[in-house]
Amino acid sequence: MARRTTTLPMRDRIGSITSGTLAWIYAALLIVPFYYFIVSSFKDNEQIFESPLSLPTTWDLSNFVTAIDQADLWLAIANSVLTTLAALVLTLVLALPASFALARARGRAGKVVEGVFALGFLIPSFAALFPTFLLAAALGLFHTRTFVVFLLPATALPLSIVILTSFMRTIPRELEEAASMDGATSLQVLRQVYLPICIPGIATVLLLNFLSFWNAYLYPLILIGPDTAQRTIQVALPTLKVDAGTDYGVLMAGTLFTLLPVYLVYTVLQRQMQRALLSGAVKG
Amino acid sequence: MTALVDAGAPAATRNPPPGTPARTRRRTLRERFPGLALPALVWYAVFMIGPVVAMFVIAFLSWPGMLATPTFAGFDNFATVFSDETFWAATRNSAVQIVVGLPIMIVLAFLLAFYVVQKPRGHRVLRYLLFIPALISAPATAMVFYAMLNPDGLVNGVLRPLGFDGTAWLADPTTALGAIIAVELWSGIGYSAVLIASRLDGVDTEIVSAARIDGADDWRIAWRMYWPIARDFIGVVTMLQFLSMLFNSAQNVLLLTQGGPGTSTTTLAYLIYQKAFVEADLGYSQAVGVILFVIGLLGMGAIRRVLRATH
């Protein structure tokens, strides 16, 4: 880079300086809020207002204790874990056989079914939040986690099926034919031939859906409601914001607490997570 | 798995010939209709397609609250919607959000992606950072911005020593919508940039260095070479962000301003939410839902037309 700037004309130097400056300004805009809210979670309102960017004087965890206590965050985390895990399992149970069938189908029907799932990318499910709410009521599952566990997989099916089907298409048909000659049923072929090969695809789908299920907000808000015994972490967090006199330290401590699980997963599985996020949109 | 494949050959010879036609018939049926896709299809129809169809039905009903009995209303809801000031305010806000926010987001994301794929010093750190917004939930993002934008928050804390008077960004009608758009840009630029970079990574570097030798500068290489190559893909990313701005803005608005002050941050998506769950005017809400659905399709068509592959 340094070598290039010395040999190139003025206009180029300006060009690359601008895009570089731009990039690092944006990077700063990504980091500063993080720094701000992490240090704020150890301060009280007065310190936050007086000296927003200074390091806290004490690393005192009382804001975390208050946040957890005030919004029942442990319970909310437990609810989120439960909802997310159940929805992840259900998504795979539905998407794996479907992708398997679509990858092997050769007729028109297969194409049509695939098209129906692909259309799902266009459905603005948010606009239909109210009918979804009616559906929950009709099933007798209103204000329960159970309904959200049923609903979230449906929102994730189009993308999961597109990704898994494209993985399963790479498996040679001969492998399957050999297995079914041995008398293996479809489900046995799926489990013993297809699944082991599809592990990377399954990992991608799991990570993508983990993010979207864990971070879901409006659906749980409307469908599970304010009941502390049922609500998820995303619904619990904003309750720390009060119209008159929010304790910002507590709010930021709660936010930090909410982000920890996602960061834990991101740090451990950084590469896989990045690949998942990329394939999520490329396929879409 | 190996055992299965190995066992395949002897099994074929052991099987009596009469079994073969039955199996063939079964397989053709299986291949004609992907039966194992049925559970997923049903699930998807009940939980996704069903509510959308219901939205179209409810839009033609007069339904002034959960406990009231709905009656057929024809186009009354649409007439009410189109003569309502709030609807037009929401349309204006959504239009500003899309027309101002979307091009800024995509152009900046493209320039960032272009910078990152040149592999300057620190590009790995940049790529790591750019993913951050994609990981954070809407409530967490909103809470951080709520703290930064409040009258005593970080933004004013930084501006005051510089001699600027801050404002209550989220409560001031002149800045509230801008603040919402800023939050969306903050979270949208990084992810879009990462996506576009993944496409630009595939560009043949030899053509680029040949162009450099011919004296093309960065600006020209970015817009004359990378942009046309990635154009169709940028179109996909633009559609993604368009839909997300159009529909998901309801979350940010709900978390930060509840549409106010007045109607200055009421977007169409938030209006649907507000009419259904705050004011219980269900027919009105779903009529706006139908309008938003149509706007979504028209917008996607327009983006496709503008950013269609040209080569």
Side-chain angles (χ1 to χ4, degrees):
Chain A
M1 174 95 193
R3 182 181 42 82
R4 217 172 57 218
T5 22
T6 53
T7 53
L8 287 177
M10 191 62 188
R11 201 168 135 208
D12 182 27
R13 229 175 301 163
I14 293 169
S16 71
I17 288 169
T18 7
S19 71
T21 319
L22 213 79
W24 290 106
I25 288 177
Y26 182 65
L29 288 177
L30 290 176
I31 296 172
V32 170
F34 265 80
Y35 172 78
Y36 174 67
F37 97 79
I38 292 171
V39 294
S40 294
S41 61
F42 295 95
K43 297 176 180 174
D44 60 26
N45 269 3
E46 201 180 323
Q47 288 169 303
I48 293 174
F49 298 159
E50 291 291 307
S51 43
L53 287 174
S54 67
L55 283 170
T57 44
T58 52
W59 298 93
D60 153 32
L61 293 175
S62 66
N63 282 338
F64 290 87
V65 175
T66 315
I68 290 169
D69 205 46
Q70 208 175 311
D72 264 320
L73 289 184
W74 281 122
L75 190 57
I77 288 244
N79 283 331
S80 277
V81 169
L82 204 67
T83 313
T84 305
L85 281 183
L88 283 177
V89 171
L90 185 54
T91 310
L92 280 190
V93 167
L94 290 166
L96 278 171
S99 317
F100 175 59
L102 290 175
R104 300 190 316 167
R106 280 186 173 155
R108 271 241 310 285
K111 285 237 158 54
V112 172
V113 174
E114 228 183 321
V116 170
F117 281 118
L119 269 181
F121 294 115
L122 297 176
I123 292 185
S125 43
F126 263 166
L129 194 57
F130 175 69
T132 312
F133 164 95
L134 288 182
L135 181 64
L139 292 175
L141 293 173
F142 182 50
H143 277 182
T144 62
R145 285 168 305 209
T146 318
F147 185 76
V148 173
V149 170
F150 287 166
L151 177 72
L152 290 177
T155 64
L157 275 177
L159 190 56
S160 306
I161 287 179
V162 167
I163 292 175
L164 288 174
T165 306
S166 73
F167 252 93
M168 293 192 180
R169 286 234 162 86
T170 63
I171 296 169
R173 212 161 250 274
E174 291 72 34
L175 213 58
E176 177 215 332
E177 272 158 12
S180 52
M181 283 223 220
D182 191 35
T185 64
S186 285
L187 283 175
Q188 277 170 327
V189 174
L190 169 60
R191 219 180 56 220
Q192 289 166 346
V193 181
Y194 277 66
L195 278 196
I197 302 179
C198 285
I199 296 290
I202 294 172
T204 299
V205 166
L206 280 176
L207 282 174
L208 268 181
N209 291 341
F210 161 71
L211 272 185
S212 82
F213 295 172
W214 182 269
N215 288 340
Y217 173 61
L218 267 191
Y219 279 134
L221 175 72
I222 298 298
L223 299 166
I224 301 180
D227 179 8
T228 43
Q230 302 255 338
R231 72 183 180 192
T232 62
I233 184 81
Q234 307 299 346
V235 179
L237 173 65
T239 61
L240 290 172
K241 177 188 130 194
V242 211
D243 277 339
T246 298
D247 189 330
Y248 289 96
V250 171
L251 181 63
M252 293 301 98
T255 309
L256 186 57
F257 192 72
T258 311
L259 291 179
L260 284 179
V262 173
Y263 268 84
L264 215 69
V265 175
Y266 185 52
T267 327
V268 177
L269 298 171
Q270 191 191 331
R271 205 151 276 181
Q272 288 88 334
M273 193 87 129
Q274 292 186 352
R275 203 171 43 221
L277 283 168
L278 287 176
S279 66
V282 178
K283 298 284 161 37
Chain B
M1 197 178 86
T2 355
L4 258 178
V5 179
D6 289 345
T13 48
R14 211 169 41 226
N15 270 352
T20 320
R23 199 168 52 232
T24 321
R25 224 179 17 249
R26 209 171 54 223
R27 180 172 306 160
T28 45
L29 179 71
R30 213 170 57 195
E31 283 181 352
R32 248 184 299 141
F33 189 80
L36 281 174
L38 217 54
L41 199 59
V42 169
W43 203 270
Y44 177 69
V46 169
F47 289 100
M48 286 275 97
I49 301 177
V52 173
V53 172
M55 175 181 85
F56 277 87
V57 175
I58 297 171
F60 294 93
L61 298 178
S62 163
W63 198 353
M66 276 295 279
L67 298 175
T69 315
T71 49
F72 183 70
F75 284 93
D76 287 2
N77 288 325
F78 290 92
T80 317
V81 167
F82 286 127
S83 60
D84 184 3
E85 274 297 310
T86 313
F87 169 75
W88 291 110
T91 308
R92 264 196 308 278
N93 291 335
S94 283
V96 169
Q97 192 191 15
I98 301 288
V99 173
V100 176
L102 194 60
I104 294 181
M105 184 187 293
I106 296 303
V107 167
L108 288 183
F110 170 70
L111 289 175
L112 250 155
F114 174 71
Y115 181 72
V116 169
V117 298
Q118 311 293 307
K119 300 204 172 29
R121 191 175 300 157
H123 72 276
R124 273 174 218 284
V125 180
L126 261 183
R127 275 193 204 235
Y128 177 86
L129 290 175
L130 293 180
F131 267 106
I132 287 179
L135 303 174
I136 307 178
S137 69
T141 310
M143 290 308 106
V144 173
F145 274 87
Y146 175 73
M148 289 200 301
L149 295 172
N150 84 72
D152 294 310
L154 176 64
V155 175
N156 286 352
V158 170
L159 288 180
R160 219 165 279 137
L162 299 175
F164 295 101
D165 278 336
T167 171
W169 301 96
L170 292 167
D172 183 334
T174 54
T175 57
L177 184 62
I180 297 279
I181 296 175
V183 175
E184 272 162 0
L185 286 176
W186 184 83
S187 49
I189 290 175
Y191 188 36
S192 311
V194 170
L195 294 175
I196 296 173
S198 77
R199 178 70 182 80
L200 297 187
D201 273 332
V203 171
D204 190 353
T205 46
E206 272 178 35
I207 315 177
V208 178
S209 39
R212 269 196 211 289
I213 290 164
D214 288 345
D217 53 38
D218 265 3
W219 191 254
R220 194 174 290 180
I221 290 174
W223 292 105
R224 296 274 172 80
M225 297 185 72
Y226 278 88
W227 179 272
I229 292 174
R231 195 174 156 123
D232 52 338
F233 185 74
I234 292 172
V236 174
V237 175
T238 311
M239 284 190 212
L240 218 77
Q241 295 293 4
F242 165 70
L243 288 183
S244 145
M245 273 187 153
L246 197 61
F247 294 109
N248 298 1
S249 67
Q251 303 192 79
N252 285 333
V253 173
L254 174 66
L255 286 160
L256 289 171
T257 62
Q258 279 94 48
T263 55
S264 58
T265 55
T266 303
T267 60
L268 286 170
Y270 182 71
L271 188 61
I272 299 177
Y273 172 87
Q274 189 187 20
K275 287 290 174 185
F277 298 104
V278 182
E279 296 175 18
D281 191 345
L282 308 174
Y284 182 115
S285 161
Q286 298 307 291
V288 179
V290 169
I291 295 168
L292 197 61
F293 185 84
V294 174
I295 293 176
L297 288 183
L298 290 178
M300 303 258 282
I303 293 168
R304 209 193 166 87
R305 192 165 274 263
V306 172
L307 292 172
R308 199 172 30 201
T310 44
H311 58 101

